[in-house]
Amino acid sequence: MAEDVVIRVEGLKTQFGRQVVHEGLDLEVERGEVIGVVGGSGTGKSVLLRTIIGLNRPAAGHIDVLGVDPHSGDPAAERAFKVRCGVLFQGGALFSSLTVTENIQVPMREHLDLPQELMDELAALKIAIVGLPPDAGPKYPAQLSGGMKKRAGLARALSVDPEILFLDEPTAGLDPIGAAAFDDLIRGLQQSLSLTVFMVTHDLDSLAAICDRIAVLVEKKVRVGTMADHMRDSHPWIREYFHGPRARAAIDKDTHSAMV
Amino acid sequence: MASDTGWLRTSAEGDALTLQAGGSWTVECAAALDALVSGLRADGARRARFELSEVTALDSAGAWVLRRTAKSFEAEGLAIEFAGVAPPFEPLLRIVEEADRQPHEPLRVRFNPFFRLCDRVGYVLIDMVQETRLLVGFFGVTVVSLGAVLIRPRRLRFVSLVNQIEQTGLNAVPIVFLLNFLIGMVMAYLGVFQLRKFGAEIFTIDGLAFGIPREMAVLLTAIIVAGRSGSAFTAQIGTMQVNEEVDAIRTSGLDPVEVLVLPRINALLITLPMLTFLADVAGILGGALMTMGSLDLTFGQFMRRFEDVMTLSNFIVGMVKAPVFAYIIAIVGCFEGLRVSGSAESVGRMTTRSVVESITLVILAEAMFAIVFTVLGI
């Protein structure tokens, strides 16, 4: 299983104008793991995610997701690739003119040919799986709270059972209880649906609670390792990040809950 | 991996029904699987056994189809048993079962179309009344605020005012000139070709001298400004509202009406009359060129006739309307901007609304002016 790499990034370089965001960045993500991406503001965490899913064209380097290059320009391959990846954007990015149910059905309608009744049942199932109340289905995104929007966005991302789930700051803007519940949800779904999760986050609690490995963006590259590896890293930013009071609290909480 | 489509074999032994499933039970072939299970009947069986040992891939759609089939058998009184579930699929089946056990509600709410129509008409009416009330209230607020600034002119935000004058006035010069020039030409063209039937082409100039300064120029300019600047006011203030900048202004002890609304009102009060004057000139120029061309007149001949029929009151009637229209456009634009709440989507909605509303109100005011001036005999 260790050889089963689902995301492979080699020598990635991204730049906007003259500003180089990543240079010579290598990253491998294995099937079934939860990887968290952290880094200071402006180090290009979201840019990395957007580049991997094909929204942002790299200046150099090679990306391979599930055996497909998202920038290959082959429409059939890109289409097949998009069915196998689910993305949750920061604010949920629900289509505001559609109800939650219709939002969840968009990928099904686009990529598959399913009878309406089955799509309705599957949408109801996804709504229940992500922990939304059953009456959320006919609601419009404007009628939902921030946390519910994220759950609805997650339901849409899971709509056609992707193999990889990309999450951009899934817990940002949620209260600590909501964030912890969201972490549990993602961990639970990851295990039961055997997903690979690629998560950009700032939330130390989520890092400690659900990530198998952590990729830290420093000096235009990533350093990948477990929490314990990063604790030993001597890079000043990484030291400060993982030894700050917030990190301590998050790690203590996690080890404590693991012991209980 | 998922190339082998899912299949299902059923066999009955006494009162036991065995459903042997295999292949990939995933969302790609969910339509086929759905058709596969829809034909299943219990046929008097008492027990149903789902044999899943040959399933190679399973996702939530496949799990749901299995679960739903099991549920319908259960409803018919059969005992259900799942066998041969591969360990990786166990949590998935569990999560689908748990999700299904939660109460379900209809995913779509349908209304009787007639009630829906009544509901909408009522909603729009109530909304209109409330909107009018609030707008009148806002008009009062701006007048009071304007009065306060007039008493203490130091609170007039000069930099902001000049900036708004540039945006709403100077930058609008080309488009106002061009459109009025073209409309002047069109009016002259229509006049010449209709009046020629009576041999009265020369009265085209009367039409221009009467119509452009009195009605056309000011109305057209007001509509352009409503589309250009009224919408910009709503979008600017609305975006600030979304970013909570307006709240920040409030908590800094400033008055948003004084800071955001007054400079915009004052700017339009200054620029719209100036643009109207420019529009007068442009419209008459366009009309003059067209008449001179089609009637073979020199500019001198045109001007002689024009001077005979043009009166000062005509010009003043047009100019008097400009500040009124300016006030309408500015307060509607700012009012809708301040009513933006929450999302970026509402900025777009309110901007559309502001343009429609300000153009409607400008034309209403234009009609009122026409009535008043007719009664007064000006």
Side-chain angles (χ1 to χ4, degrees), chain B residues 18-69:
Chain B
T18 305
L19 298 108
Q20 172 93 31
S24 79
W25 280 64
T26 55
V27 72
E28 283 93 3
C29 35
L33 297 173
D34 188 43
L36 221 57
V37 298
S38 65
L40 289 177
R41 294 284 170 277
D43 284 333
R46 302 286 302 280
R47 283 179 294 138
R49 184 179 150 86
F50 288 81
E51 181 64 54
L52 305 183
S53 55
E54 284 180 57
V55 174
T56 53
L58 184 71
D59 68 5
S60 64
W64 164 250
V65 173
L66 286 172
R67 165 81 196 152
R68 194 185 56 187
T69 315

Short mmCIF file of all heavy atoms in Angstrom, two decimals, chain B residues 18-69:
data_model
loop_
_atom_site.label_atom_id
_atom_site.label_comp_id
_atom_site.label_asym_id
_atom_site.label_seq_id
_atom_site.Cartn_x
_atom_site.Cartn_y
_atom_site.Cartn_z
N THR B 18 -31.65 -15.75 -2.13
CA THR B 18 -30.25 -15.36 -2.07
C THR B 18 -29.93 -14.39 -3.19
O THR B 18 -30.29 -14.64 -4.35
CB THR B 18 -29.33 -16.59 -2.17
OG1 THR B 18 -29.70 -17.52 -1.17
CG2 THR B 18 -27.87 -16.18 -1.99
N LEU B 19 -29.34 -13.27 -2.84
CA LEU B 19 -28.97 -12.28 -3.84
C LEU B 19 -27.46 -12.22 -3.88
O LEU B 19 -26.82 -11.74 -2.93
CB LEU B 19 -29.55 -10.90 -3.51
CG LEU B 19 -31.08 -10.86 -3.48
CD1 LEU B 19 -31.56 -10.73 -2.05
CD2 LEU B 19 -31.60 -9.76 -4.35
N GLN B 20 -26.92 -12.72 -4.96
CA GLN B 20 -25.47 -12.74 -5.09
C GLN B 20 -25.05 -11.53 -5.92
O GLN B 20 -25.41 -11.41 -7.09
CB GLN B 20 -25.06 -14.04 -5.79
CG GLN B 20 -23.61 -14.12 -6.17
CD GLN B 20 -22.80 -14.80 -5.08
OE1 GLN B 20 -23.31 -15.68 -4.38
NE2 GLN B 20 -21.56 -14.41 -4.95
N ALA B 21 -24.33 -10.61 -5.27
CA ALA B 21 -23.91 -9.40 -5.98
C ALA B 21 -22.42 -9.47 -6.26
O ALA B 21 -21.67 -10.08 -5.51
CB ALA B 21 -24.20 -8.16 -5.15
N GLY B 22 -22.00 -8.88 -7.35
CA GLY B 22 -20.58 -8.88 -7.67
C GLY B 22 -20.23 -7.75 -8.60
O GLY B 22 -21.09 -6.99 -9.04
N GLY B 23 -18.96 -7.62 -8.88
CA GLY B 23 -18.50 -6.54 -9.75
C GLY B 23 -18.40 -5.24 -8.97
O GLY B 23 -18.35 -5.25 -7.75
N SER B 24 -18.37 -4.14 -9.71
CA SER B 24 -18.23 -2.87 -8.98
C SER B 24 -19.59 -2.21 -8.83
O SER B 24 -20.29 -1.96 -9.82
CB SER B 24 -17.22 -1.97 -9.69
OG SER B 24 -17.80 -1.35 -10.78
N TRP B 25 -19.94 -1.98 -7.61
CA TRP B 25 -21.20 -1.31 -7.27
C TRP B 25 -20.88 0.14 -6.97
O TRP B 25 -20.80 0.54 -5.82
CB TRP B 25 -21.86 -2.00 -6.09
CG TRP B 25 -22.59 -3.24 -6.49
CD1 TRP B 25 -22.04 -4.35 -7.02
CD2 TRP B 25 -24.00 -3.46 -6.46
NE1 TRP B 25 -22.99 -5.26 -7.32
CE2 TRP B 25 -24.22 -4.76 -6.97
CE3 TRP B 25 -25.09 -2.71 -6.03
CZ2 TRP B 25 -25.50 -5.29 -7.10
CZ3 TRP B 25 -26.35 -3.25 -6.14
CH2 TRP B 25 -26.56 -4.54 -6.67
N THR B 26 -20.69 0.91 -8.03
CA THR B 26 -20.30 2.31 -7.83
C THR B 26 -21.24 3.22 -8.58
O THR B 26 -22.10 2.77 -9.35
CB THR B 26 -18.87 2.56 -8.32
OG1 THR B 26 -18.80 2.16 -9.68
CG2 THR B 26 -17.84 1.80 -7.52
N VAL B 27 -21.02 4.50 -8.37
CA VAL B 27 -21.94 5.51 -8.90
C VAL B 27 -21.93 5.53 -10.43
O VAL B 27 -22.92 5.86 -11.06
CB VAL B 27 -21.62 6.88 -8.27
CG1 VAL B 27 -20.32 7.44 -8.82
CG2 VAL B 27 -22.75 7.86 -8.45
N GLU B 28 -20.82 5.10 -11.04
CA GLU B 28 -20.76 5.11 -12.51
C GLU B 28 -21.82 4.20 -13.12
O GLU B 28 -22.35 4.48 -14.18
CB GLU B 28 -19.37 4.67 -13.02
CG GLU B 28 -18.29 5.72 -12.93
CD GLU B 28 -17.52 5.62 -11.64
OE1 GLU B 28 -17.79 4.69 -10.85
OE2 GLU B 28 -16.64 6.48 -11.40
N CYS B 29 -22.07 3.07 -12.43
CA CYS B 29 -23.08 2.17 -13.01
C CYS B 29 -24.34 2.15 -12.14
O CYS B 29 -25.11 1.19 -12.17
CB CYS B 29 -22.51 0.78 -13.22
SG CYS B 29 -21.33 0.25 -11.99
N ALA B 30 -24.54 3.22 -11.39
CA ALA B 30 -25.68 3.25 -10.47
C ALA B 30 -27.01 3.15 -11.20
O ALA B 30 -27.95 2.53 -10.71
CB ALA B 30 -25.64 4.51 -9.62
N ALA B 31 -27.08 3.74 -12.40
CA ALA B 31 -28.34 3.70 -13.15
C ALA B 31 -28.68 2.26 -13.50
O ALA B 31 -29.83 1.83 -13.37
CB ALA B 31 -28.23 4.55 -14.40
N ALA B 32 -27.66 1.51 -13.95
CA ALA B 32 -27.88 0.11 -14.31
C ALA B 32 -28.26 -0.70 -13.08
O ALA B 32 -29.17 -1.54 -13.12
CB ALA B 32 -26.62 -0.45 -14.96
N LEU B 33 -27.58 -0.45 -11.96
CA LEU B 33 -27.87 -1.18 -10.72
C LEU B 33 -29.27 -0.89 -10.25
O LEU B 33 -29.99 -1.78 -9.78
CB LEU B 33 -26.86 -0.79 -9.64
CG LEU B 33 -25.40 -1.12 -9.94
CD1 LEU B 33 -24.50 -0.53 -8.88
CD2 LEU B 33 -25.21 -2.63 -10.01
N ASP B 34 -29.66 0.39 -10.39
CA ASP B 34 -31.00 0.80 -9.97
C ASP B 34 -32.04 0.01 -10.76
O ASP B 34 -33.02 -0.48 -10.21
CB ASP B 34 -31.14 2.30 -10.21
CG ASP B 34 -32.41 2.85 -9.61
OD1 ASP B 34 -32.73 2.45 -8.47
OD2 ASP B 34 -33.06 3.68 -10.27
N ALA B 35 -31.80 -0.12 -12.07
CA ALA B 35 -32.73 -0.87 -12.92
C ALA B 35 -32.73 -2.34 -12.52
O ALA B 35 -33.77 -3.01 -12.52
CB ALA B 35 -32.33 -0.71 -14.38
N LEU B 36 -31.54 -2.85 -12.17
CA LEU B 36 -31.37 -4.25 -11.80
C LEU B 36 -32.23 -4.63 -10.60
O LEU B 36 -32.89 -5.66 -10.59
CB LEU B 36 -29.89 -4.47 -11.47
CG LEU B 36 -29.20 -5.74 -11.93
CD1 LEU B 36 -29.30 -5.88 -13.42
CD2 LEU B 36 -27.74 -5.69 -11.52
N VAL B 37 -32.18 -3.76 -9.57
CA VAL B 37 -32.89 -4.13 -8.34
C VAL B 37 -34.37 -3.77 -8.40
O VAL B 37 -35.16 -4.30 -7.63
CB VAL B 37 -32.27 -3.48 -7.08
CG1 VAL B 37 -30.85 -3.96 -6.90
CG2 VAL B 37 -32.35 -1.98 -7.15
N SER B 38 -34.75 -2.89 -9.31
CA SER B 38 -36.15 -2.45 -9.32
C SER B 38 -37.07 -3.60 -9.74
O SER B 38 -38.25 -3.60 -9.41
CB SER B 38 -36.32 -1.24 -10.23
OG SER B 38 -36.05 -1.63 -11.56
N GLY B 39 -36.52 -4.59 -10.45
CA GLY B 39 -37.36 -5.70 -10.88
C GLY B 39 -37.52 -6.81 -9.84
O GLY B 39 -38.22 -7.79 -10.07
N LEU B 40 -36.86 -6.64 -8.71
CA LEU B 40 -36.86 -7.72 -7.71
C LEU B 40 -38.19 -7.81 -6.97
O LEU B 40 -38.78 -6.81 -6.60
CB LEU B 40 -35.74 -7.49 -6.69
CG LEU B 40 -34.31 -7.70 -7.20
CD1 LEU B 40 -33.34 -7.36 -6.09
CD2 LEU B 40 -34.13 -9.13 -7.66
N ARG B 41 -38.64 -9.06 -6.79
CA ARG B 41 -39.86 -9.29 -6.01
C ARG B 41 -39.55 -10.32 -4.94
O ARG B 41 -38.72 -11.21 -5.14
CB ARG B 41 -40.99 -9.83 -6.89
CG ARG B 41 -41.49 -8.86 -7.94
CD ARG B 41 -42.39 -7.77 -7.32
NE ARG B 41 -42.66 -6.72 -8.29
CZ ARG B 41 -41.84 -5.70 -8.54
NH1 ARG B 41 -40.69 -5.62 -7.89
NH2 ARG B 41 -42.15 -4.80 -9.43
N ALA B 42 -40.23 -10.22 -3.81
CA ALA B 42 -39.97 -11.18 -2.74
C ALA B 42 -40.54 -12.56 -3.07
O ALA B 42 -39.97 -13.59 -2.71
CB ALA B 42 -40.57 -10.67 -1.42
N ASP B 43 -41.67 -12.59 -3.78
CA ASP B 43 -42.29 -13.85 -4.22
C ASP B 43 -42.47 -14.86 -3.09
O ASP B 43 -42.11 -16.03 -3.21
CB ASP B 43 -41.47 -14.49 -5.35
CG ASP B 43 -41.68 -13.78 -6.68
OD1 ASP B 43 -42.76 -13.18 -6.83
OD2 ASP B 43 -40.76 -13.80 -7.51
N GLY B 44 -42.99 -14.39 -2.02
CA GLY B 44 -43.32 -15.28 -0.93
C GLY B 44 -42.15 -15.77 -0.10
O GLY B 44 -42.32 -16.63 0.76
N ALA B 45 -40.96 -15.26 -0.36
CA ALA B 45 -39.82 -15.68 0.45
C ALA B 45 -39.92 -15.08 1.85
O ALA B 45 -40.59 -14.07 2.07
CB ALA B 45 -38.52 -15.24 -0.22
N ARG B 46 -39.28 -15.71 2.80
CA ARG B 46 -39.34 -15.24 4.19
C ARG B 46 -38.01 -14.64 4.63
O ARG B 46 -37.94 -13.88 5.58
CB ARG B 46 -39.70 -16.40 5.12
CG ARG B 46 -41.02 -17.08 4.80
CD ARG B 46 -42.18 -16.20 5.23
NE ARG B 46 -42.12 -15.91 6.64
CZ ARG B 46 -42.54 -16.76 7.59
NH1 ARG B 46 -43.03 -17.93 7.25
NH2 ARG B 46 -42.48 -16.44 8.86
N ARG B 47 -36.94 -15.06 3.95
CA ARG B 47 -35.63 -14.58 4.32
C ARG B 47 -34.89 -14.12 3.06
O ARG B 47 -35.08 -14.70 1.99
CB ARG B 47 -34.82 -15.69 5.00
CG ARG B 47 -35.23 -15.92 6.45
CD ARG B 47 -34.43 -17.03 7.07
NE ARG B 47 -34.75 -18.32 6.44
CZ ARG B 47 -33.84 -19.22 6.14
NH1 ARG B 47 -32.55 -18.97 6.39
NH2 ARG B 47 -34.17 -20.36 5.58
N ALA B 48 -34.09 -13.08 3.22
CA ALA B 48 -33.28 -12.63 2.08
C ALA B 48 -31.84 -12.52 2.54
O ALA B 48 -31.56 -11.99 3.62
CB ALA B 48 -33.77 -11.28 1.56
N ARG B 49 -30.96 -13.06 1.73
CA ARG B 49 -29.55 -13.08 2.12
C ARG B 49 -28.76 -12.38 1.02
O ARG B 49 -28.85 -12.75 -0.15
CB ARG B 49 -29.13 -14.54 2.24
CG ARG B 49 -27.74 -14.78 2.72
CD ARG B 49 -27.57 -16.32 2.78
NE ARG B 49 -26.18 -16.67 2.55
CZ ARG B 49 -25.26 -16.71 3.53
NH1 ARG B 49 -25.64 -16.49 4.76
NH2 ARG B 49 -24.02 -17.02 3.25
N PHE B 50 -28.05 -11.34 1.39
CA PHE B 50 -27.22 -10.61 0.43
C PHE B 50 -25.80 -11.14 0.50
O PHE B 50 -25.16 -11.02 1.54
CB PHE B 50 -27.22 -9.10 0.72
CG PHE B 50 -28.52 -8.43 0.38
CD1 PHE B 50 -29.60 -8.48 1.26
CD2 PHE B 50 -28.68 -7.75 -0.81
CE1 PHE B 50 -30.81 -7.88 0.96
CE2 PHE B 50 -29.88 -7.13 -1.12
CZ PHE B 50 -30.95 -7.20 -0.24
N GLU B 51 -25.39 -11.73 -0.57
CA GLU B 51 -24.05 -12.32 -0.62
C GLU B 51 -23.14 -11.37 -1.39
O GLU B 51 -23.30 -11.18 -2.59
CB GLU B 51 -24.15 -13.68 -1.33
CG GLU B 51 -22.86 -14.44 -1.44
CD GLU B 51 -22.31 -14.84 -0.09
OE1 GLU B 51 -23.04 -15.49 0.71
OE2 GLU B 51 -21.14 -14.49 0.17
N LEU B 52 -22.21 -10.70 -0.67
CA LEU B 52 -21.43 -9.64 -1.31
C LEU B 52 -19.97 -10.01 -1.52
O LEU B 52 -19.14 -9.15 -1.79
CB LEU B 52 -21.50 -8.37 -0.46
CG LEU B 52 -22.90 -7.84 -0.11
CD1 LEU B 52 -22.79 -6.54 0.66
CD2 LEU B 52 -23.75 -7.64 -1.35
N SER B 53 -19.67 -11.30 -1.39
CA SER B 53 -18.25 -11.66 -1.41
C SER B 53 -17.56 -11.35 -2.74
O SER B 53 -16.35 -11.20 -2.80
CB SER B 53 -18.08 -13.14 -1.06
OG SER B 53 -18.87 -13.90 -1.95
N GLU B 54 -18.35 -11.22 -3.82
CA GLU B 54 -17.70 -10.97 -5.10
C GLU B 54 -17.74 -9.52 -5.54
O GLU B 54 -17.42 -9.19 -6.68
CB GLU B 54 -18.32 -11.88 -6.17
CG GLU B 54 -17.83 -13.32 -6.05
CD GLU B 54 -18.45 -14.21 -7.09
OE1 GLU B 54 -18.29 -13.91 -8.28
OE2 GLU B 54 -19.10 -15.20 -6.70
N VAL B 55 -18.17 -8.66 -4.62
CA VAL B 55 -18.18 -7.22 -4.94
C VAL B 55 -16.74 -6.71 -4.90
O VAL B 55 -16.03 -6.89 -3.91
CB VAL B 55 -19.05 -6.44 -3.94
CG1 VAL B 55 -18.94 -4.94 -4.17
CG2 VAL B 55 -20.51 -6.87 -4.05
N THR B 56 -16.32 -6.10 -6.01
CA THR B 56 -14.92 -5.64 -6.07
C THR B 56 -14.78 -4.18 -5.67
O THR B 56 -13.74 -3.75 -5.22
CB THR B 56 -14.36 -5.83 -7.48
OG1 THR B 56 -15.26 -5.20 -8.41
CG2 THR B 56 -14.21 -7.29 -7.84
N ALA B 57 -15.81 -3.40 -5.91
CA ALA B 57 -15.75 -1.98 -5.53
C ALA B 57 -17.13 -1.56 -5.07
O ALA B 57 -18.15 -1.97 -5.62
CB ALA B 57 -15.31 -1.13 -6.72
N LEU B 58 -17.14 -0.75 -4.03
CA LEU B 58 -18.42 -0.31 -3.48
C LEU B 58 -18.26 1.14 -3.07
O LEU B 58 -17.27 1.52 -2.45
CB LEU B 58 -18.77 -1.18 -2.26
CG LEU B 58 -20.13 -0.92 -1.61
CD1 LEU B 58 -21.26 -1.41 -2.50
CD2 LEU B 58 -20.22 -1.62 -0.25
N ASP B 59 -19.23 1.97 -3.44
CA ASP B 59 -19.22 3.33 -2.91
C ASP B 59 -20.60 3.64 -2.35
O ASP B 59 -21.45 2.76 -2.29
CB ASP B 59 -18.78 4.33 -3.98
CG ASP B 59 -19.79 4.48 -5.10
OD1 ASP B 59 -20.87 3.88 -5.01
OD2 ASP B 59 -19.48 5.20 -6.05
N SER B 60 -20.80 4.88 -1.96
CA SER B 60 -22.04 5.14 -1.22
C SER B 60 -23.27 4.96 -2.10
O SER B 60 -24.33 4.59 -1.60
CB SER B 60 -21.99 6.54 -0.61
OG SER B 60 -21.93 7.51 -1.61
N ALA B 61 -23.15 5.20 -3.41
CA ALA B 61 -24.31 5.00 -4.28
C ALA B 61 -24.68 3.52 -4.34
O ALA B 61 -25.85 3.15 -4.21
CB ALA B 61 -24.02 5.54 -5.67
N GLY B 62 -23.65 2.67 -4.51
CA GLY B 62 -23.90 1.24 -4.54
C GLY B 62 -24.45 0.75 -3.21
O GLY B 62 -25.40 -0.05 -3.16
N ALA B 63 -23.86 1.24 -2.14
CA ALA B 63 -24.32 0.85 -0.81
C ALA B 63 -25.76 1.27 -0.60
O ALA B 63 -26.55 0.55 0.02
CB ALA B 63 -23.42 1.49 0.26
N TRP B 64 -26.10 2.45 -1.14
CA TRP B 64 -27.47 2.92 -0.97
C TRP B 64 -28.45 2.02 -1.72
O TRP B 64 -29.51 1.68 -1.20
CB TRP B 64 -27.59 4.37 -1.44
CG TRP B 64 -29.01 4.77 -1.64
CD1 TRP B 64 -29.65 5.01 -2.81
CD2 TRP B 64 -30.02 4.90 -0.62
NE1 TRP B 64 -30.95 5.29 -2.61
CE2 TRP B 64 -31.22 5.24 -1.26
CE3 TRP B 64 -30.01 4.75 0.77
CZ2 TRP B 64 -32.40 5.44 -0.57
CZ3 TRP B 64 -31.20 4.96 1.46
CH2 TRP B 64 -32.37 5.30 0.81
N VAL B 65 -28.08 1.61 -2.95
CA VAL B 65 -28.99 0.75 -3.73
C VAL B 65 -29.22 -0.56 -2.97
O VAL B 65 -30.36 -1.04 -2.86
CB VAL B 65 -28.43 0.51 -5.13
CG1 VAL B 65 -29.26 -0.51 -5.88
CG2 VAL B 65 -28.40 1.81 -5.93
N LEU B 66 -28.16 -1.11 -2.39
CA LEU B 66 -28.29 -2.35 -1.61
C LEU B 66 -29.19 -2.12 -0.40
O LEU B 66 -30.10 -2.90 -0.12
CB LEU B 66 -26.91 -2.83 -1.14
CG LEU B 66 -26.02 -3.46 -2.20
CD1 LEU B 66 -24.64 -3.70 -1.63
CD2 LEU B 66 -26.63 -4.77 -2.69
N ARG B 67 -28.90 -1.01 0.27
CA ARG B 67 -29.63 -0.70 1.50
C ARG B 67 -31.13 -0.51 1.22
O ARG B 67 -31.97 -1.01 1.95
CB ARG B 67 -29.03 0.58 2.10
CG ARG B 67 -29.84 1.25 3.16
CD ARG B 67 -29.66 0.59 4.51
NE ARG B 67 -30.72 1.01 5.39
CZ ARG B 67 -31.19 0.29 6.40
NH1 ARG B 67 -30.65 -0.86 6.67
NH2 ARG B 67 -32.14 0.75 7.15
N ARG B 68 -31.41 0.17 0.12
CA ARG B 68 -32.80 0.44 -0.22
C ARG B 68 -33.53 -0.86 -0.56
O ARG B 68 -34.67 -1.07 -0.16
CB ARG B 68 -32.85 1.40 -1.41
CG ARG B 68 -34.21 2.00 -1.64
CD ARG B 68 -34.21 2.82 -2.89
NE ARG B 68 -33.78 2.02 -4.03
CZ ARG B 68 -33.56 2.52 -5.24
NH1 ARG B 68 -33.67 3.81 -5.45
NH2 ARG B 68 -33.19 1.75 -6.22
N THR B 69 -32.82 -1.74 -1.28
CA THR B 69 -33.44 -3.04 -1.62
C THR B 69 -33.73 -3.82 -0.35
O THR B 69 -34.81 -4.38 -0.16
CB THR B 69 -32.46 -3.84 -2.50
OG1 THR B 69 -31.94 -2.98 -3.50
CG2 THR B 69 -33.16 -5.00 -3.15
#
